[in-house]
Structure formats: C-alpha cells, structure tokens
Amino acid sequence: MKRYVSGAVIALFLLAGCGITYVNPEVGLRNTTANVEVVEITTRTVQIANSAPYTPMSLPQVFYAATGGGSTSGNVGLPAQPFVPNEQRQSANLRLPPPVDPGPYEIGVGDMVLLATKAASSTVEELSGLLAAQNQRQGYTVRDDGTISIPDVGSVQLGGLTLEEAEAEVFQALVEAGFNPAFSLEVAEFNSKRVVVGGAVAQTALVPITLTRLDLGEAVAAAGGVTVPDEEFALIRIYRDGTLYQIPYEEYLSNPDLRNTTLLAGDAVYVDTTYDLDRALQFYEQQIDVISLRQEAQAAALDQLQTEISLRRAALNEQRDNFLARTELGAEARDYVYLAGEVETQSRFPLPYGRQATLADVLYETGGFEVETGNPREIYVLRPSSGGDTVVAWRLNASNAINLVLATQFEMRPNDIVFIESQPITVWNRAVSQALPNLISIARVTENN
C-alpha cells in the first residue's frame, strides 16, 4: 500500500530542519560573548573611524634608490661638417659661441715674470742676483712644473695662480729666505695662453691672451685684418672645444657687439668663404687628431660609467627580488584585512605600502561582493575597540548607491574584517537546497512501504 507525504509534513520537516538546515552567519548580539556595537557609516562617523591611529608600512629604501649618477669629462665633438662647394654660392647663418667669462689671468707654463726690487744698496748686496736679472731685463720663465727658480730663494710655485696670488707666494718665499720683501711682480711675456688666427688674413698669427680679455676684433687686427675678394660670402669661423661657430663677415663689420666676442685660450679663428673651404679644412686637420683622442677618452669613461651603473642596478634588483621572495613566502611582516560572508572570494587583503587603503579598495580589488546573494544593506567592517572589550561593527547601507561614496572615504586598519550578510531569500534557498535531498529520500521510502 503506497503512502504519500503531505505538504504539511514537508513544511514541518523544513521548519524542523532535522538539524541539517543552513545556518546563516550574521552580525548581531546572539551566539557571541563579545560586546557588539553597531555604528552606521555616515559622513560624521567616517571621521571617527578614520581617527584610529595607523601608519602604513613603508617599502624598503632599496625601492626608492636609483642607479643613475656619475658624469664624464671631455664632452668634445668633431667640427661641423664643412660646406661642400657647388655651382652656386650660398650665404651662411650666424652661429655665435656662448657668452663666457674668462676670469682673472692665471700664470701658466712658458710665461715670463719680472721681479723688481728696491735699488737700495742693502738690497743690492743681499739680492745681487735678483738686481742683476732686473738690470738686464731678464725675468723668470715658468717651468713645466709651474715653478720659477729665484737665486738664493729657491723654487716658487706660480703656475695656475693669478697675479695677486703669485705676489703672495713670492712675498712668503722672500720672507722665509730672510730677504727684504719689498718687490713688484709683473708678467713680462704671455706665452701660456694664445689664440691662433689664420685663413684669409694678412698673416697667420698667434695672439697671446694677457691680463685683459681678448676679443675677436683685437685678434683679427693682430693678424693684419681680413683679406677676402668678396665680403658678401666671407665667414669668420671660431673653433672651440670641438664646436665650430661662424660669423658672416658683413654682420661682423656692421655689428660692433660681434667684434667684442670674447675669445678663450685654445680658440682657433679662421677666415674663409662659404664656397671654398680647402684652406679651412687643412687648418682643422691638425685639430682633429687631438679631438679623436679626447673622444676615445670619453668613450672609455662612458664604458666605465655604464659598467658601474650596471653593477648598481644588478645589486638593487637582487635586493628587491629578495624582498619580494620573502614577502611571497610570508617572511616579511604585512598588515592584512580579512574578507568574509557574501564576497567574491573569502580571503585576506594586504594593506598597501606607503598609503591608506579604503573599504572601496578592499571590496573592488578582490572582485566586490556577490550581488545575487549578498545583502547590500548589511555591509560591515568589524573592528575591535581600542580597549579590546568591544567589537564595533561599522555598517554600510549600500542599497542606495550614493552611500558607496562613503566606502571610498572609510579607511581600513590592520585586522579589520569586512563581512557581508546574505540576502533573506539566499538563506531560504540554501536551507531548502540542504533539506530537499533528504525529503525526496524520505518520500521514496514512504512510497515503497
């Protein structure tokens, strides 16, 4: 005889649950020994929650270090490629060297200095050698090591000194040697710093740089002036530290400021035309070898710098990789926030280094919450109070999407628990899904009996 299970029996079974129905976790005062205080998240309470002190952990200093640095000397390039002659003449543009301040004259190797002393008899007797040199107009040439040799006094270092600094050195040397330090010092011949002028000038000249600055007009005048058949296409070229500058001759004549261009030791001035540079090329050939040597030295310095930077970068990367490996293995301390309830994945969220994380960061970095099963009215952040005797449940009602703005303002703290309750229908569905297989089994047993 078959028996059928009535709807009342099924309902009774569901209500009783036989101890197997779904138990839904929720935030409340039941089934807990902790004191729970539920606080709604509002614009005012967000400020209270964020007042809890917390300083985010910082990355090791190695993540802020850079591998750059260092510099190379001898930044020299070859002269600009000269104009290639063609059937038509072409005028050139003005390219001035940058303004420079040569500073006070510094005595160099090859300069001759003249030391003059008092002509008193006592001085003659004590410094007969010095006076004899003066009377014969014989000075002292600065030697390769930058010194001059004064009889009965010795060597005095003058190379690289201004005239004022050199006078102080000579004064000190005379005093230490026991001589009357009444003297005057002047540079009689300027041989250490010169500018060469060549090309379409009256005569090639080596123009010395003296105590006063040397300008372009003086250098050209010292070479006898410019001699070109056609001033329209004449150029005054200045070759300095591997760079070729040029001044059209007509502009040079019409603009006094161009004639006042300051020249430096080692400059080469060449006058030519834009359509005939044969002599200019010959003039520069002797400079190219020197520039090539400088470039080789620069290349070696760059290789050395690149090697040093590569070693620094490798060391930094090794330290960074070691830190990341320790972090993955859990050997480095981290601050975490834990996610539970109806979230995409029940997991823990590491708080970032160097900045604050918000509730929105935690929710949406991990995929957000389950919109089908999660209750947007019941989003909680569970946080123990400072004394540890109370758990504050900060509740966010996100049924109105406007309140999600509060989630972007609510700052997280280590060991916070983000919990989202289930929808009421979700609780019922899960209870039914657990009970239904048992009901079917019971119904079949009853029917068979």
Side-chain angles (χ1 to χ4, degrees):
M1 178 178 177
K2 297 183 179 180
R3 297 181 180 178
Y4 299 94
V5 180
S6 67
V9 174
I10 294 175
L12 213 61
F13 184 82
L14 289 174
L15 290 174
C18 297
I20 63 173
T21 55
Y22 177 70
V23 178
N24 179 56
E26 61 182 8
V27 175
L29 302 178
R30 295 176 299 173
N31 302 321
T32 179
T33 59
N35 295 324
V36 180
E37 179 183 356
V38 178
V39 180
E40 293 290 333
I41 297 179
T42 64
T43 54
R44 184 181 63 84
T45 58
V46 161
Q47 299 177 1
I48 298 175
N50 293 346
S51 65
Y54 171 61
T55 301
M57 301 180 70
S58 298
L59 282 170
Q61 187 61 35
V62 67
F63 282 90
Y64 300 95
T67 57
S71 62
T72 59
S73 58
N75 186 15
V76 181
L78 289 173
Q81 184 174 356
F83 173 77
V84 178
N86 56 28
E87 296 179 356
Q88 295 182 354
R89 299 179 180 181
Q90 297 181 6
S91 59
N93 296 324
L94 174 67
R95 290 201 306 271
L96 282 175
V100 292
D101 181 9
Y105 184 84
E106 294 180 353
I107 298 173
V109 175
D111 286 345
M112 178 177 289
V113 297
L114 183 64
L115 181 66
T117 60
K118 286 185 176 181
S121 58
S122 59
T123 304
V124 174
E125 295 173 358
E126 295 177 355
L127 303 177
S128 58
L130 296 177
L131 293 175
Q134 176 193 4
N135 294 335
Q136 297 174 9
R137 305 297 295 172
Q138 294 179 354
Y140 299 90
T141 300
V142 179
R143 299 178 294 190
D144 292 342
D145 59 356
T147 64
I148 62 172
S149 179
I150 303 176
D152 300 326
V153 174
S155 296
V156 181
Q157 182 71 37
L158 300 185
L161 303 181
T162 64
L163 189 58
E164 182 179 352
E165 293 170 341
E167 289 176 344
E169 288 293 323
V170 172
F171 179 87
Q172 185 65 28
L174 292 177
V175 170
E176 291 177 356
F179 293 111
N180 183 358
F183 71 96
S184 65
L185 185 71
E186 60 180 292
V187 181
E189 295 181 12
F190 298 88
N191 300 317
S192 64
K193 299 175 180 61
R194 291 182 286 189
V195 171
V196 60
V197 182
V201 292
Q203 57 182 8
T204 300
L206 289 174
V207 184
I209 294 179
T210 62
L211 298 179
T212 58
R213 72 180 184 90
L214 176 64
D215 58 39
L216 181 59
E218 294 174 342
V220 172
V226 175
T227 57
V228 291
D230 193 343
E231 295 181 352
E232 180 183 359
F233 296 99
L235 285 175
I236 298 178
R237 301 180 186 268
I238 302 175
Y239 182 76
R240 175 183 297 169
D241 292 335
T243 303
L244 194 61
Y245 306 97
Q246 62 187 24
I247 301 174
Y249 185 55
E250 287 187 335
E251 293 189 41
Y252 169 82
L253 294 177
S254 62
N255 189 347
D257 291 338
L258 298 179
R259 296 194 290 273
N260 293 331
T261 301
T262 301
L263 299 178
L264 298 179
D267 284 354
V269 178
Y270 197 91
V271 181
D272 60 15
T273 60
T274 58
Y275 57 89
D276 183 9
L277 297 183
D278 291 340
R279 289 186 298 170
L281 292 176
Q282 294 175 1
F283 182 76
Y284 294 136
E285 280 179 354
Q286 56 185 321
Q287 302 289 341
I288 292 178
D289 292 337
V290 176
I291 296 171
S292 298
L293 293 176
R294 291 181 182 177
Q295 285 188 322
E296 291 176 4
Q298 183 187 37
L302 287 173
D303 289 341
Q304 181 179 0
L305 179 61
Q306 190 63 39
T307 301
E308 180 183 352
I309 291 178
S310 298
L311 292 174
R312 292 182 190 174
R313 182 178 293 113
L316 287 176
N317 288 337
E318 182 178 10
Q319 296 178 59
R320 294 167 182 170
D321 291 342
N322 289 340
F323 175 81
L324 295 176
R326 290 195 304 270
T327 301
E328 291 180 0
L329 295 173
E332 291 289 337
R334 289 297 301 269
D335 292 330
Y336 292 97
V337 169
Y338 300 88
L339 291 92
E342 300 300 323
V343 293
E344 184 75 20
T345 303
Q346 308 240 7
S347 60
R348 64 180 184 178
F349 172 83
L351 291 178
Y353 290 100
R355 68 175 183 85
Q356 300 281 359
T358 66
L359 176 57
D361 292 331
V362 175
L363 288 176
Y364 294 102
E365 180 72 19
T366 56
F369 63 89
E370 290 285 357
V371 294
E372 293 183 359
T373 61
N375 188 350
R377 298 176 182 272
E378 307 293 338
I379 301 176
Y380 293 92
V381 176
L382 307 181
R383 178 181 301 173
S385 63
S386 58
D389 55 347
T390 302
V391 175
V392 180
W394 300 93
R395 177 176 176 269
L396 176 66
N397 181 358
S399 59
N400 185 344
I402 297 299
N403 290 338
L404 288 175
V405 174
L406 298 173
T408 65
Q409 301 170 358
F410 190 97
E411 296 177 357
M412 306 306 297
R413 296 293 182 263
N415 299 322
D416 280 352
I417 298 175
V418 177
F419 176 79
I420 302 176
E421 288 190 0
S422 305
Q423 294 273 17
I425 189 62
T426 301
V427 179
W428 173 256
N429 288 340
R430 289 174 178 169
V432 170
S433 66
Q434 288 184 359
L436 191 57
N438 293 282
L439 288 174
I440 294 173
S441 298
I442 293 173
R444 286 177 178 173
V445 170
T446 304
E447 181 182 359
N448 292 332
N449 291 334

